[in-house]
Amino acid sequence: MKDWPYTVFPTGWYQVGYSSELQPGDVRPAKYFDQDLVLFRTEDGDVSLLDAHCPHLGAHLGYGGKVKGECIECPFHGWLWTAGGELSEIPYARDERRRVGLKRWQTREVAGLILVWYDAFGREPFWEWPGIPEFIDEVNNYPITLDHVGIRKIIPQSPVENTPDYYHFMWVHGAGQPGTPLLWKEDQHYLHTRVGFVYGHGKKATWMTPNGPVFGEIETEAWGLGLSNARFVLENFITNQLTAATPVDTEHSQLFETITVNRQDGEPEATGRAARMIEFQKGQIRRDFAIWENQRYVEHPPFAGGEEEHYARFRRWSRQFYSDKPYTASTEIAAAG
C-alpha cells in the first residue's frame, strides 16, 4: 500500500490451504512472505512446509518433488528430505552425510485449515489459533464452503481494519444505516467486537428479512491480522465468514474465504436462504477489493462523526504485530446504542 509505514510482515498465524485439499502424497509449490516454499503431506498424513530449494544444487522441491514415505524426494538427484527438513538419504551415496538441511516452518491444522506461523523476529509461536467452532459442528451447521479468492494486491491489515469502520457499510455494502458499536475487547493478540445493525432497514421485506426489518449484529473476532471471523447474527439465522489474508510479497496476499451457515429447518443441504447468504457474502467481500487495492495509507486521518474512537484504538492494537516488543494491554469497552 502506498505510504505504508511498516517494513516487516505482521506476526501471526496465516492460512496456506485447506486440509481436505492436501491428501497424503500431495506436493504443492508455494510462495509466502517473499519466500519460495514447498507444502506436502507425508504418507502417514503429516503436513510439512519447508524452504523450497534443495541445498544440493538448488532444485525447487515443489516442481517435480515426490513424497516417499515420510520424506520428500528432490526431482533433480533424488536426495531425500524429512518432513522436519533434515537430510535423510543421498540415494547414490548412502553412506555419506552432509551437514545441510531445510528450514521447516511451524504449521498447524485447525478446523479444516492449514496454518503457518510467521514472525519477522524469529520467535516461536506464542499463541495458538482456537478455530471456529461452527466449522467443525456439522450437526448444527452446513459443511464449510471453501472460497479460493486468489492473490490480490492487498495487505493483511486491510480486511481487519474494516472492524472499526462503522460507516463504510452504507457506501460499500448497501446498508441502510451505519453500524452501532456494542463491544470492543482487546486481549493481547485477540480482538473481539460486536456491531449492531438493522437488517433490511427502510424496507418492508427482503430475501434476508422476509418479515420486515430486524435488529441483528456482526460479531467479529481477529487473531492477529491474518485471520478474522465475522459472525452475522440475524435472529436464528447465523453465518460465519472467516477471512484469511496471507502475504505473498510486500504488496500481495493470497486470500481465502471460509463460510458456513447454521442449518435451517427443512433444508438438509445449504439451499434457499442459506445458499443465497453464502453467495451474498462471497460478493460482499469482493466489493472492498477495488478500494483496498488502490488505497493510500493515511497515517493521521481527519476523522469525523466519532470514527476516531475505535479506528485509533484499532491502529494502536495492530502495531504490536510489526514489533518485537511484547503487548500486554487489555481493554474492554461496551457501548449500547
Side-chain angles (χ1 to χ4, degrees), residues 18-60:
Y18 290 104
S19 295
S20 62
E21 295 182 340
L22 190 73
Q23 298 300 308
D26 285 349
V27 177
R28 303 276 188 271
K31 183 176 181 180
Y32 297 109
F33 314 107
D34 255 340
Q35 303 288 320
D36 289 320
L37 307 171
V38 58
L39 177 69
F40 63 98
R41 191 185 293 278
T42 70
E43 291 181 4
D44 279 351
D46 292 334
V47 169
S48 179
L49 184 69
L50 303 177
D51 282 354
H53 296 286
C54 179
H56 176 214
L57 282 171
H60 194 303

Side-chain angles (χ1 to χ4, degrees), residues 98-276:
R98 296 291 182 269
R99 298 180 65 180
V100 292
L102 292 161
K103 175 185 173 181
R104 182 177 188 174
W105 294 64
Q106 289 267 12
T107 58
R108 302 285 190 272
E109 289 191 86
V110 185
L113 278 62
I114 302 174
L115 308 176
V116 63
W117 172 261
Y118 179 83
D119 181 68
F121 309 99
R123 295 169 294 183
E124 293 296 304
F126 44 91
W127 82 80
E128 297 291 333
W129 186 56
I132 309 301
E134 291 89 341
F135 285 1
I136 58 176
D137 178 12
E138 292 190 8
V139 172
N140 297 301
N141 299 272
Y142 296 112
I144 57 176
T145 296
L146 317 182
D147 185 11
H148 293 272
V149 178
I151 296 173
R152 306 297 296 249
K153 191 180 178 184
I154 293 170
I155 59 173
Q157 184 161 322
S158 291
V160 193
E161 192 159 297
N162 263 4
T163 301
D165 190 349
Y166 310 129
Y167 288 101
H168 90 285
F169 291 100
M170 297 177 65
W171 281 267
V172 179
H173 301 295
Q177 59 179 188
T180 301
L182 304 175
L183 173 70
W184 182 279
K185 180 180 180 181
E186 52 190 80
D187 186 3
Q188 299 186 45
H189 66 275
Y190 175 67
L191 178 63
H192 182 198
T193 70
R194 291 171 46 227
V195 182
F197 283 94
V198 176
Y199 288 89
H201 179 267
K203 300 176 182 178
K204 290 184 177 180
T206 69
W207 67 266
M208 196 182 297
T209 56
N211 298 318
V214 176
F215 184 81
E217 66 177 62
I218 301 176
E219 178 189 24
T220 300
E221 295 178 280
W223 300 265
L225 299 176
L227 299 165
S228 62
N229 186 64
R231 185 174 286 110
F232 301 86
V233 181
L234 178 58
E235 296 182 319
N236 64 346
F237 187 57
I238 302 172
T239 304
N240 280 269
Q241 181 177 21
L242 180 79
T243 299
T246 305
V248 173
D249 54 36
T250 56
E251 291 188 325
H252 301 85
S253 297
Q254 184 171 7
L255 272 72
F256 303 85
E257 293 288 326
T258 309
I259 309 173
T260 189
V261 179
N262 66 321
R263 291 187 180 273
Q264 304 296 298
D265 292 340
E267 294 185 21
E269 297 181 354
T271 57
R273 191 165 68 146
R276 189 164 183 177

